[in-house]
Amino acid sequence: MEVKSAEFVMSNSAVDKCPNQPLPEYAFIGRSNVGKSSLINMLVQRKSLAKTSGRPGKTQLINHFVINKNWFLVDLPGYGYARVSKKSKKTFQKFITEYFEKRKQLVLAFVLVDIRHEPQPIDLEFMAYLGNQQIPFHIIFTKADKLKPKACLLAVEKYREKMLEFWEEMPQHFVTSSAHSTGREELLQYIAQLNEDFHQD
Ligand code: GDP
């Protein structure tokens, strides 16, 4: 897929205020600092469409972007940031869970994980939540340039082993690097295919 246009639509904290055009939508979510903004900017080839917030955990909003005027890319707040208060964690949970449970046009969520890290409880819990809600998700491994190719394979294998403790199979996954644009074509191609299916239904 060629990205011809990528425009910011709106930020908000309530699912019922999200844009109502019936376009297929993909949500990107992960721990703060996982490389989500970098990945989004790499995908759409804009330097700073998704803003890397100075203080992670501060900008807790649902951010909609429209790509090629035919699908929504949603940048969700990073989770697991230690410095946010309990109260804002709760608020966060509420609007994120509402988003996932109510957003009808959501095709799937991409859960981002840093390829260098062992599976983290917070990510596994979040994926378990998505599974319980029957919300389809895929995994995007980020920062692959930080490891040698062999170490990347090994890391994915380790992740698979951990996932198989809870899941029947390893979810579909992509290995990416925003620094080297690794995985860009594969991911965009994949989304293009899902968009076609969405419009045919
Ligand atoms: P976010 O908080 O998840 O949006 O993460 P950012 O996109 O702001 O990235 C967090 C840090 O990781 C920044 O210092 C980025 O430069 C760095 N980073 C993100 N993606 C990559 C990548 O693919 N390779 C490398 N080497 N660093 C990355």
Side-chain angles (χ1 to χ4, degrees):
M1 181 202 310
E2 194 190 333
V3 175
K4 294 189 191 120
S5 65
E7 294 149 53
F8 170 72
V9 183
M10 61 163 78
S11 293
N12 66 73
S13 61
V15 65
D16 34 332
K17 291 194 196 123
C18 287
N20 55 17
Q21 298 99 302
L23 298 178
E25 178 159 317
Y26 305 85
F28 289 71
I29 189 162
R31 293 204 308 154
S32 303
N33 223 33
V34 69
K36 181 167 47 72
S37 317
S38 306
L39 179 89
I40 292 171
N41 293 332
M42 178 277 265
L43 282 180
V44 300
Q45 290 185 312
R46 300 287 187 283
K47 260 200 191 125
S48 51
L49 190 69
K51 299 231 167 46
T52 45
S53 72
R55 249 176 68 196
K58 212 180 163 216
T59 328
Q60 307 248 306
L61 293 167
I62 303 168
N63 302 295
H64 272 79
F65 300 95
V66 65
I67 315 298
N68 293 346
K69 303 196 191 300
N70 77 346
W71 60 281
F72 285 126
L73 184 160
V74 177
D75 181 7
L76 292 174
Y79 54 72
Y81 189 64
R83 254 190 278 167
V84 299
S85 67
K86 260 198 185 150
K87 185 164 176 267
S88 67
K89 258 184 202 158
K90 269 209 171 139
T91 315
F92 169 78
Q93 273 177 0
K94 189 158 180 281
F95 84 78
I96 294 300
T97 53
E98 269 185 7
Y99 168 82
F100 280 112
E101 287 158 35
K102 291 193 185 154
R103 188 68 173 158
K104 292 221 164 54
Q105 68 225 74
L106 179 71
V107 176
L108 58 85
F110 289 108
V111 179
L112 276 59
V113 298
D114 188 321
I115 197 159
R116 298 169 300 171
H117 300 159
E118 304 261 310
Q120 305 283 310
I122 194 165
D123 294 319
L124 298 173
E125 275 164 29
F126 183 66
M127 290 188 253
Y129 159 75
L130 292 176
N132 284 336
Q133 297 295 327
Q134 299 188 309
I135 295 156
F137 71 90
H138 293 344
I139 296 176
I140 295 183
F141 293 100
T142 62
K143 308 190 189 182
D145 60 288
K146 297 233 186 196
L147 294 180
K148 297 220 165 82
K150 252 195 183 162
C152 281
L153 288 176
L154 211 67
V156 173
E157 200 39 51
K158 266 193 151 176
Y159 217 95
R160 179 198 310 276
E161 274 169 28
K162 187 72 188 173
M163 291 299 282
L164 292 184
E165 289 177 20
F166 316 100
W167 298 85
E168 276 181 25
E169 53 185 308
M170 172 73 173
Q172 172 124 9
H173 57 276
F174 300 85
V175 174
T176 68
S177 155
S178 303
H180 295 172
S181 290
T182 311
R184 181 173 185 273
E185 279 305 311
E186 191 191 353
L187 204 46
L188 288 176
Q189 231 13 72
Y190 189 81
I191 292 173
Q193 184 59 54
L194 290 175
N195 285 345
E196 263 184 40
D197 300 345
F198 182 93
H199 290 298
Q200 268 166 17
D201 281 348

